[in-house]
Amino acid sequence: MSMKPLCVKLSVQPSRGLVDEKFTVLVQNLLPGFQLTIHALHQCEDGHSWEAFAHYTADATGIVNVSEDPSLDGTYSGVEQMGLLWSLRPVPGSKSGLRMRKMNVQTPMVVTISVYQGHQTEGFLDQVLLASVVVERWYMAPGVRRVPITDGKLTATLFLPSGPGPFPGLLDLWGGGGKLVEYRAALLASHGIASMALDYLTPQITEETGKMVDSDYFETAYRVLEQHPQILGSRIAMLGLSFGTSVTFGMAVYSQVVKLSCAVCISGSHVQPIGGSVEQILAYFNKNVAKTRFDENNQVIWRNLLLPIPTDPSLKVEMGRLQCPLLLVVGEDDQNWPAHESAMDMKEMMERAGNSHLLTVLSYKNAGHLIEPPFMPFTRASTFKTVTNPPTKVMVLWGGELVAHSRAQEDAWRKTLVFLRENLYGGMQP
Amino acid sequence: MDMKQHCMKLSVQPSRGLVDEKFTVMVQNLLPGFQLTIHALHQCEDGHSWEAFAHYTADATGIVNVSQDPSLGGTYSGVEPMGLLWSLRPAPGSKTGLRWRKMNVQTPMGVTISVYQGHQTEGFLDQVLLASVVVERWYMAPGVRRVPITEGRLTATLFLPSGPGPFPGLLDLWGLGGKLVEYRAALLASHGIASLALDYFTPKKTGKMVDNDYFETAYRVLEQHPQILGSRIAMLGLSFGAGLTLRMAVYSECLKLSCAVCISGSHVQPIDGPLEQIMTYYNKNVEKTHFDEDNQLIWRDLLLPFPTDPSLKVDVGRLECPLLLIVGEDDQNWPSYESAMDMREMMERAGNSHLLTVLSYKNAGHLIEPPFMAFTRASSFKTATNPPFTMMVLWGGELVAHSRAQEDAWRKTLVFLTENLYGDMKPDASFSNM
């Protein structure tokens, strides 16, 4: 069955949306029963190509609606409105261990959505292209302002929501990979929270002096938020992933300066030498490096470095002393950190101390370590450059299974936004 | 009544849309019966501020939905989903005669939509701002490519739709204001038509007016482009550009148009001789210039009454392609409605009136543009004389009727173009030029 190419109508609404917004992919004017492949192509900043595809058959009305119709096969199957994004994977022939992360958040992620005749699985560039549209996925909503921070010795970027403010604030910390990663803070600002992305492992000051930062670095960052004329100093949260949770737990419980309205900790652990500096915590982890395991593909599993969860109280942040609401997000297939076990231990500590009403745990079966904002390609393993001296590059297993992990990201992000909004805005007097 | 400032929620969906897309403005978490003003603010490229505002009262569920609820007063009233854009007007204190046009189409138009407490009418900067969002309105859909044309003496920009093509093509002409105005061509490309914005009035170097071969060169650029279907090219002109479109459609040996769209124009022009003669002909009647009570120029009478001499009217009876005429019945700049009626009569006599569609809008003026743009009833205009001087020209039209006309005309123009540029194509014919 042949199709008049110019009649096939492909539309994606919205054509410009935020990265955490859903879109509707619709193909119309097809012959009933027509077989087609919908294909997504994205070229990321470092030049690698990522693709996803799914097989559909037009219904009696000649329409395929990705939000309602099942994919019969491809990089995802079944009814998956956003499958064309979260099932993106490096094209055949790419080098291994790739992970997609947008570093420049001021430009959108661009995805080309195309329709091909028949149920294709490869060699798309040579196929008959019936229609194609370009879709933009933005990290910054209109009016969000990106403000590089030059106060003190911080390596950080502040994202201010659009509007007059004042806004609640948030300190956003990533993990052991270092670098200044802005996209989650940009997204949070697009949701009304003034968010600061903070590089604390590879900041300029560490590059210059060779010394790792101390708790006053985080307190300085907190104060930048607290004193900002457009930020509500009494409404500041902290969000950390992976090693960023180690910092967050420590600050939330022990800092005299940092007074948090709430905290969100994703894929992390409270296990650390209490009162230790960043350097000391890392040293503690490294002591157990012999516990490193490898999977059948020689990918590094680091979850055991913190197991078993110690009984020695000086090696765990005293969660019983926490005074603000805490949201823990963990993947049960996390191969990098023992996040689930840590969450269970924290729950127990808080139940014993009587402050467990502050705790919410979101635990996802078959989700891995990298629980990120939704609709981003899933990475089960990737190359990782250690923050050691000298650094080494290893292939790390993060864990997780494609579909379960993608669902977990969508659910966790939505609940994170609700949690933040309730705790940052809730109970405010007129 | 006071409001918990941070509970109120203002949202505009989509926050990034095309300029001809509708949006939904919603305010939630209000106290029932709460009075508020929704305000739109836009700062255009030349620095002037434009604003619109409307008064609403929250319903029992504490919601105001601009698409469903009536404005009780402001720059528009009643239920108007897009009123915050088409009723934009220069902020108080602005100089007179402003007209809003985006010249850089690669960046979006930014509009700040805000909510103020109470029913306000002025001094917004001093009011209590309850919420505010920024909305972007784009002229180019994602993937549309802007290609400056360097061929020959052309001053032109080609906009290619996203996708592999091939695409139908279109030549886009504005009026005697000159300059290279790209936004309509950019929008048409966003709808799948490869469109060439052509400046024919102020092109480089010569100082002389261009002639037919200029348009034929532009046509050939489209026809020969590897991603454009040479047999599927249309022409769209407004004002003087509409007259040129009719001229080319009927008399050019070179241009073979699938269809033509003529907005606010006339077929009255000397058909022999160079284009410069058209200007001479119009200028001959300059005494017929009128002024309204505000001393704004009315030029519609320069072409009235219609000549009986057949060499002074494009012979539309010889037209061989579908033609869409769009006219505002309150056009004070050109006698476009009368011209449309005369053209219809000519085509009925000649037997080709089945090709003609006329969209005539009561109380619409001369500047019938893509929808949701600020309405201009009169503005300053720089004449094409030597030396040039600036006058205040009356375009005509009434705000609401003209805005509705733009919305309706644009939708119908897109349908007309799509039907005539894509219609009855054979399955494999489209690839014959690949």
Side-chain angles (χ1 to χ4, degrees), chain A residues 403-423:
Chain A
V403 178
H405 190 96
S406 300
R407 295 221 198 293
Q409 291 193 151
E410 201 182 327
D411 189 73
W413 181 249
R414 182 174 50 244
K415 290 181 173 152
T416 296
L417 291 177
V418 170
F419 175 83
L420 286 171
R421 236 174 258 133
E422 278 175 359
N423 288 289

Side-chain angles (χ1 to χ4, degrees), chain A residues 22-320:
Chain A
K22 289 191 177 183
F23 59 25
T24 302
V25 179
L26 204 58
V27 191
Q28 298 171 284
N29 300 342
L30 299 161
L31 296 167
F34 186 76
Q35 294 191 335
L36 55 95
T37 303
I38 303 183
H39 180 264
L41 182 68
H42 166 66
Q43 192 174 50
C44 62
E45 287 168 329
D46 52 17
H48 294 111
S49 290
W50 295 67
E51 68 172 8
F53 62 89
H55 298 154
Y56 292 90
T57 299
D59 66 12
T61 63
I63 292 175
V64 169
N65 182 340
V66 174
S67 306
E68 297 172 2
D69 302 328
S71 155
L72 308 165
D73 201 4
T75 54
Y76 65 92
S77 60
V79 180
E80 296 290 355
Q81 183 167 1
M82 302 302 292
L84 286 163
L85 290 182
W86 54 249
S87 72
L88 281 168
R89 62 196 194 181
V91 296
S94 300
K95 71 189 231 193
S96 55
L98 293 175
R99 179 180 172 193
M100 194 187 77
R101 313 188 86 185
K102 192 120 176 23
M103 298 310 274
N104 178 359
V105 297
Q106 298 185 95
T107 58
M109 171 192 179
V110 176
V111 184
T112 303
I113 307 279
S114 308
V115 177
Y116 292 93
Q117 188 163 315
H119 287 169
Q120 312 295 341
T121 51
E122 53 178 8
F124 286 95
L125 293 175
D126 306 318
Q127 301 294 342
V128 175
L129 178 60
L130 296 179
S132 185
V133 295
V134 175
V135 176
E136 290 177 1
R137 308 287 293 169
W138 292 74
Y139 287 86
M140 290 169 69
V144 167
R145 289 151 289 170
R146 178 179 176 273
V147 184
I149 296 298
T150 48
D151 298 40
K153 308 272 203 281
L154 299 177
T155 298
T157 309
L158 174 64
F159 290 90
L160 288 167
S162 75
F167 314 103
L170 181 144
L171 212 44
D172 183 273
L173 307 182
W174 289 89
K179 296 194 280 189
L180 182 52
V181 182
E182 300 185 351
Y183 59 85
R184 192 172 54 202
L187 255 185
L188 288 166
S190 301
H191 288 278
I193 303 169
S195 302
M196 180 189 295
L198 182 67
D199 177 6
Y200 61 93
L201 282 180
T202 56
Q204 215 173 327
I205 186 126
T206 298
E207 309 286 299
E208 284 166 8
T209 63
K211 290 223 295 261
M212 293 216 139
V213 304
D214 226 308
S215 57
D216 52 285
Y217 185 81
F218 302 98
E219 289 168 357
T220 303
Y222 172 86
R223 262 191 237 101
V224 167
L225 288 176
E226 195 198 18
Q227 287 160 10
H228 195 287
Q230 281 181 285
I231 296 177
L232 295 159
S234 58
R235 303 258 160 188
I236 296 174
M238 207 156 161
L239 186 151
L241 177 129
S242 197
F243 193 77
T245 66
S246 306
V247 175
T248 303
F249 289 128
M251 290 286 133
V253 173
Y254 299 117
S255 174
Q256 300 291 332
V257 172
V258 174
K259 299 275 163 264
L260 300 178
S261 294
C262 63
V264 179
C265 291
I266 307 171
S267 301
S269 177
H270 57 324
V271 172
Q272 58 181 260
I274 292 180
S277 66
V278 167
E279 198 161 15
Q280 287 164 338
I281 301 176
L282 283 173
Y284 170 78
F285 293 172
N286 289 333
K287 261 191 8 219
N288 295 323
V289 74
K291 290 188 179 178
T292 302
R293 298 233 280 266
F294 297 86
D295 77 345
E296 65 275 12
N297 296 318
N298 291 323
Q299 292 169 142
V300 169
I301 296 170
W302 272 331
R303 71 187 326 276
N304 299 292
L305 266 59
L306 294 182
L307 291 174
I309 306 276
T311 43
D312 176 356
S314 73
L315 291 174
K316 296 194 290 193
V317 171
E318 298 156 88
M319 300 310 296

